[in-house]
Amino acid sequence: MEYTIFTILPIFLLPFLAFVLGSFIVKRSEKLAMAISTVSIFVSFLFSAKIFSDFIFSQFSKDYYIHKYFNWFDLSSQGLEFSVDLGIYIDNMAAVMLLMVTGVATLIHVFSIWYMADDKKYGKFFVYLSLFTSAMIGLVLSDNLLSLFIFWEIMGFCSYSLIGFYHEKEKAGEASLKAFMTTRVGDVIFLLGIVAIWGVIGTVNYVDIYSAIANGVFEGKMVLGISLATFAGFCIFAGTVGKSAQFPLQVWLPDAMMGPTPCSALIHAATMVAAGVYLSLRMYPLMELGGITPFIACVGGLTAFGAATIALVQTDLKAVLAYSTISQLGYMVLGVGVGAYNAAFMHLITHAIFKACLFLSAGSVIHSLHDHQTHDHVQEMPRMGGLKTKLPLTFLAMMACTLAISGVPLFSGFVSKDRILGDALYMAMTNKVYWVAYLLGALGAGLTAFYMFRMMFLTFFGAPRDEDVYKHCHKESLKWNRNVPLLLLSIFTLGIFFSGSPSGQGIVKFGGEKYEWFKVLMVKPIPKNFTTYSKEKLSTQDNRDKILWPKSSYESHDYGLNEEDEHRLHTAHIISAIASVVIASIGILIAFLMYIRQSFSSERIISRAAKFYKILVNKYYMDHFYIKIVIRRGLLKFNRLLANFDLGIYDRYAIDGWEHISRYCYRIADFFDRYAVDKIGVDGFGFVIKDVLNKGLRFLLAGKVQFYFIVLFLVLAFYMFRISTA
């Protein structure tokens, strides 16, 4: 495939055009809008699959990239240059992201056909899905932070619209506003980072930033007393904190479940939350240069552990998955912080697959359960139970994903998450700062196994706890738009698709190093490799001679360490793998004893730890802190102070004072106009013309001969007088 405008842009343009076309036809034909949306994203998936195969299956080198651009606008004049280029940048990471986003989004679209079939706003939902998906694709294809930020904000609007899709419900409206405003905090700081970089190097293109790092452009540059790299890296990471729901801006994500469940799958898996981690991975060299990676690791570890503890006490099925999303995102950020670039990106992909499947499975469960008194769907797990026989296919898919997220060997979650923990342990062994991050991550892994199996046991096992709900739940059958998407996603929860080592740590291998394609080909950007690079116009073909590029080499991963450190790293991974298996097993065992064997009662534990339980139920009082203290006692008081300044000083003296000055000036001008202009200038001149000149001329030109003789006599007399005196 020669990469031109016709082979790359359709990936983005097809779902975007589906949004535009669907916006016009949705009121006339909702089914047509749905069909256009679903077909467009599927075709985008086919284009993405071709790019994925070219990049991953030895077509190109692991260092190969496609970089095409076009000039957006050029305001350069008189020696001053101000030109902005936008473009497309595709490397191995972008190729995998494109496949994941379009593939998962396609299955979510298919599932939505069944889930939203009876909804009054059926077509409108698919219109929003198209815009949401196209924005994420545009973000992945972007070659610079500016266009990334544009698509970043479009996704913010889409999340606001989809979370508040049922805006007639007060809670949905509040949740959408909460998500929009919370993420804006991170976005504003992110924008400051973009401006800071642009102000120094004159561009925000990825490869230009890498090149500037390699050439030492950031050295010695200061912003507000700190280095530019630290300032810009922190600002960009703040964007990740907002978008990927990291502490302390994680409060919006649990409320995002107020939207339709397929939208929750899209937000929590393939698009919005993944965008924040993707940004940190792209800007990893800058964050590493700024020395903020220990801070990032601690934020990730704290988020992973804190969200996992809150998930322990949730009774709403989607709420458990929402907090598990925050926790798993914490592991990705932890991976970025400890330098586990490859493992962090792998966990982004594996999590997108099993979390999308988990949310769609939850949607299948919720859509099947009805409360015939309130006519609402049932989401509370204490009212479920015994659904394994009613929903066997949903149970099978959900169990596979639960095994994956819990870190059970042979599944993808174990391969990715526990590689992160292995690198975290290695960093802790070399730098004590990382011990906190590792321990929080390890404890969170055990809690994850417990609360996920608690969810499975309460939902699918045991006797039905609400006979009426259970009785009216129909047994599911195989449907192409209900459980087939779940089963397809569940297949890719197996670790074999991402690693040739069933353990994930290289202890047991088969098939050779070729099956370690993810570990070998997904490498962090090395700035010195970008000191010289080439890019082409978007309309041209990629004519670089690919023979000159070495093919992808599936050799063992080289960490660039000496023999002693390499041995220490290998030891850390083995210890971490064993510890993870033990921790996950303990978590699963406790959940089994508590909810299946009922060896001990959860109520007894709650009564003994009532205070801590209350703290978890209230989510560590983070919402209380933001609403009661930050907003009401802080921002509202500050708002009142600004209002008093605005009304009492600015309005009174600047606005109203200027009004008084204007009034006095008006009176002076009016007086001058009335008397100087009108009375003297206009009326006075009129009086002279009318009463003086007019009457004088009338007297002189009256037509009387006697008067003329008198005038003639006087003239002659005056003339003779002048002669006599001469």
Side-chain angles (χ1 to χ4, degrees):
M1 177 188 287
E2 294 295 342
Y3 292 99
T4 65
I5 188 173
F6 302 107
T7 55
I8 299 176
L9 284 186
I11 302 174
F12 163 73
L13 288 178
L14 284 172
F16 180 75
L17 293 176
F19 158 73
V20 175
L21 185 59
S23 300
F24 287 101
I25 68 173
V26 65
K27 290 186 177 180
R28 297 184 178 180
S29 177
E30 291 189 328
K31 289 187 176 181
L32 181 59
M34 173 274 296
I36 293 174
S37 177
T38 306
V39 171
S40 67
I41 190 59
F42 176 68
V43 177
S44 292
F45 168 72
L46 296 180
F47 277 95
S48 300
K50 175 57 179 173
I51 292 177
F52 175 82
S53 65
D54 285 347
F55 271 84
I56 303 305
F57 298 131
S58 300
Q59 180 70 19
F60 302 137
S61 161
K62 66 180 179 181
D63 298 320
Y64 188 77
Y65 61 86
I66 297 169
H67 191 186
K68 295 181 178 291
Y69 75 98
F70 66 94
N71 184 257
W72 188 22
F73 61 83
D74 189 349
L75 302 180
S76 303
S77 65
Q78 299 179 353
L80 297 176
E81 293 188 5
F82 188 77
S83 178
V84 177
D85 293 336
L86 298 183
I88 290 172
Y89 183 80
I90 303 177
D91 57 3
N92 286 336
M93 185 166 74
V96 175
M97 280 291 290
L98 287 174
L99 185 73
M100 182 274 289
V101 171
T102 55
V104 172
T106 297
L107 294 176
I108 291 174
H109 276 68
V110 172
F111 180 83
S112 300
I113 296 173
W114 170 77
Y115 188 88
M116 300 295 292
D118 298 325
D119 197 281
K120 295 179 180 179
K121 296 181 283 187
Y122 178 71
K124 182 180 179 181
F125 178 77
F126 280 93
V127 171
Y128 281 139
L129 282 189
S130 293
L131 180 60
F132 205 166
T133 308
S134 65
M136 185 62 190
I137 294 172
L139 184 146
V140 172
L141 289 173
S142 294
D143 74 330
N144 66 87
L145 292 175
L146 178 60
S147 58
L148 181 145
F149 187 77
I150 293 171
F151 292 116
W152 182 281
E153 292 303 307
I154 293 174
M155 281 199 296
F157 163 75
C158 291
S159 67
Y160 171 79
S161 302
L162 286 169
I163 295 170
F165 190 74
Y166 300 119
H167 53 79
E168 59 275 6
K169 298 179 181 179
E170 185 177 356
K171 288 185 177 181
E174 292 175 350
S176 63
L177 186 61
K178 181 179 181 181
F180 188 79
M181 297 306 295
T182 304
T183 54
R184 290 292 76 70
V185 175
D187 293 356
V188 170
I189 303 176
F190 175 25
L191 185 59
L192 290 177
I194 296 176
V195 173
I197 295 173
W198 196 318
V200 173
I201 67 175
T203 177
V204 288
N205 194 294
Y206 301 151
V207 290
D208 288 331
I209 294 173
Y210 302 154
S211 178
I213 293 172
N215 293 325
V217 176
F218 286 89
E219 294 179 5
K221 300 294 192 303
M222 306 295 288
V223 177
L224 301 177
I226 60 177
S227 71
L228 172 63
T230 302
F231 177 81
F234 175 80
C235 289
I236 291 172
F237 178 65
T240 297
V241 170
K243 214 65 156 184
S244 294
Q246 296 298 286
F247 177 84
L249 299 180
Q250 82 285 357
V251 293
W252 69 269
L253 191 57
D255 293 336
M257 64 182 182
M258 293 303 301
T261 301
C263 123
S264 298
L266 201 60
I267 292 175
H268 291 245
T271 55
M272 187 165 174
V273 296
V277 178
Y278 180 78
L279 170 66
S280 289
L281 291 170
R282 280 292 184 207
M283 290 294 103
Y284 178 78
L286 181 62
M287 296 176 181
E288 188 177 35
L289 179 66
I292 63 171
T293 50
F295 170 74
I296 294 174
C298 291
V299 170
L302 182 61
T303 304
F305 176 76
T309 58
I310 299 176
L312 297 174
V313 300
Q314 299 302 310
T315 57
D316 186 298
L317 181 59
K318 288 175 66 176
V320 175
L321 297 179
Y323 280 103
S324 77
T325 298
I326 299 175
S327 182
Q328 298 305 307
L329 290 167
Y331 284 107
M332 299 175 208
V333 173
L334 172 61
V336 174
V338 298
Y341 184 92
N342 177 280
F345 181 56
M346 182 189 289
H347 198 54
L348 187 155
I349 301 299
T350 59
H351 174 263
I353 294 171
F354 61 64
K355 185 51 61 70
C357 184
L358 283 169
F359 265 103
L360 296 184
S361 299
S364 177
V365 172
I366 294 168
H367 203 273
S368 303
L369 305 180
H370 301 270
D371 188 321
H372 288 269
Q373 294 182 350
T374 63
H375 303 289
D376 291 329
H377 293 294
V378 176
Q379 295 185 200
E380 291 293 319
M381 294 186 296
R383 300 185 62 184
M384 300 178 188
L387 295 177
K388 182 173 62 172
T389 56
K390 292 275 190 175
L391 307 172
L393 298 176
T394 299
F395 165 74
L396 182 63
M398 207 166 188
M399 178 56 79
C401 296
T402 299
L403 292 169
I405 195 175
S406 299
V408 174
L410 304 183
F411 288 87
S412 60
F414 179 79
V415 176
S416 57
K417 182 173 65 177
D418 292 293
R419 280 181 177 176
I420 293 174
L421 292 176
D423 282 343
L425 179 59
Y426 168 75
M427 292 299 293
M429 293 166 65
T430 57
N431 188 338
K432 294 181 180 180
V433 174
Y434 291 96
W435 271 111
V436 173
Y438 169 73
L439 292 175
L440 289 173
L443 292 173
L447 296 178
T448 300
F450 172 79
Y451 70 68
M452 288 303 298
F453 272 88
R454 168 182 175 267
M455 178 194 74
M456 291 298 296
F457 294 149
L458 288 175
T459 304
F460 293 102
F461 290 82
R465 286 176 288 278
D466 190 322
E467 289 291 345
D468 184 64
V469 170
Y470 179 81
K471 182 174 63 176
H472 289 90
C473 175
H474 298 289
K475 188 171 183 177
E476 72 173 336
S477 57
L478 186 65
K479 291 184 178 179
W480 68 273
N481 58 357
R482 178 183 180 178
N483 34 42
V484 169
L486 313 184
L487 297 174
L488 288 176
L489 286 169
S490 66
I491 292 173
F492 291 95
T493 61
L494 296 174
I496 187 61
F497 292 102
F498 304 93
S499 172
S501 170
S503 67
Q505 308 296 334
I507 302 173
V508 179
K509 298 180 181 179
F510 62 88
E513 291 291 347
K514 184 174 182 179
Y515 289 93
E516 291 289 345
W517 65 273
F518 207 107
K519 183 178 179 180
V520 173
L521 298 181
M522 305 301 138
V523 295
K524 64 183 179 182
I526 301 174
K528 67 178 182 180
N529 293 343
F530 293 89
T531 52
T532 58
Y533 68 94
S534 60
K535 58 183 179 179
E536 298 178 325
K537 288 283 188 180
L538 186 60
S539 58
T540 61
Q541 290 186 347
D542 189 6
N543 293 319
R544 290 175 294 175
D545 190 353
K546 300 177 182 61
I547 298 176
L548 299 179
W549 291 77
K551 298 295 184 181
S552 299
S553 176
Y554 291 96
E555 297 176 356
S556 299
H557 193 278
D558 181 11
Y559 287 91
L561 304 174
N562 58 44
E563 185 176 349
E564 181 181 352
D565 288 337
E566 189 75 33
H567 176 71
R568 183 182 299 174
L569 176 63
H570 183 65
T571 303
H573 275 268
I574 294 176
I575 295 173
S576 176
I578 296 172
S580 296
V581 172
V582 172
I583 291 172
S585 300
I586 292 173
I588 296 171
L589 178 62
I590 294 174
F592 176 78
L593 294 176
M594 185 177 295
Y595 295 100
I596 300 298
R597 295 291 298 272
Q598 297 182 350
S599 301
F600 46 93
S601 171
S602 59
E603 286 76 11
R604 182 180 299 176
I605 298 175
I606 292 172
S607 63
R608 290 183 177 180
K611 292 184 179 180
F612 185 59
Y613 176 78
K614 186 178 180 181
I615 292 174
L616 295 181
V617 169
N618 288 281
K619 309 164 192 175
Y620 292 104
Y621 295 97
M622 289 292 292
D623 286 330
H624 178 274
F625 172 74
Y626 283 128
I627 296 173
K628 298 292 182 63
I629 298 177
V630 175
I631 296 177
R632 293 184 180 177
R633 296 186 182 180
L635 295 179
L636 286 181
K637 287 186 177 181
F638 182 66
N639 183 60
R640 292 190 189 100
L641 178 64
L642 293 178
N644 291 333
F645 173 81
D646 181 47
L647 298 174
I649 298 177
Y650 186 75
D651 279 359
R652 184 175 181 180
Y653 295 103
I655 306 300
D656 296 342
W658 184 253
E659 178 193 2
H660 294 313
I661 294 173
S662 299
R663 189 175 297 165
Y664 292 136
C665 291
Y666 165 76
R667 291 175 181 174
I668 294 171
D670 182 64
F671 177 84
F672 179 80
D673 181 62
R674 288 174 180 271
Y675 295 99
V677 178
D678 287 351
K679 294 292 185 182
I680 298 175
V682 179
D683 296 343
F685 187 73
F687 172 77
V688 170
I689 298 297
K690 179 180 178 182
D691 294 345
V692 178
L693 293 179
N694 184 35
K695 290 181 179 180
L697 290 174
R698 280 165 52 185
F699 175 77
L700 293 174
L701 303 175
K704 295 180 179 181
V705 178
Q706 299 91 330
F707 178 76
Y708 296 153
F709 277 113
I710 293 172
V711 173
L712 179 61
F713 175 77
L714 292 174
V715 171
L716 290 173
F718 177 74
Y719 181 70
M720 292 179 67
F721 173 76
R722 291 293 303 271
I723 292 175
S724 63
T725 58

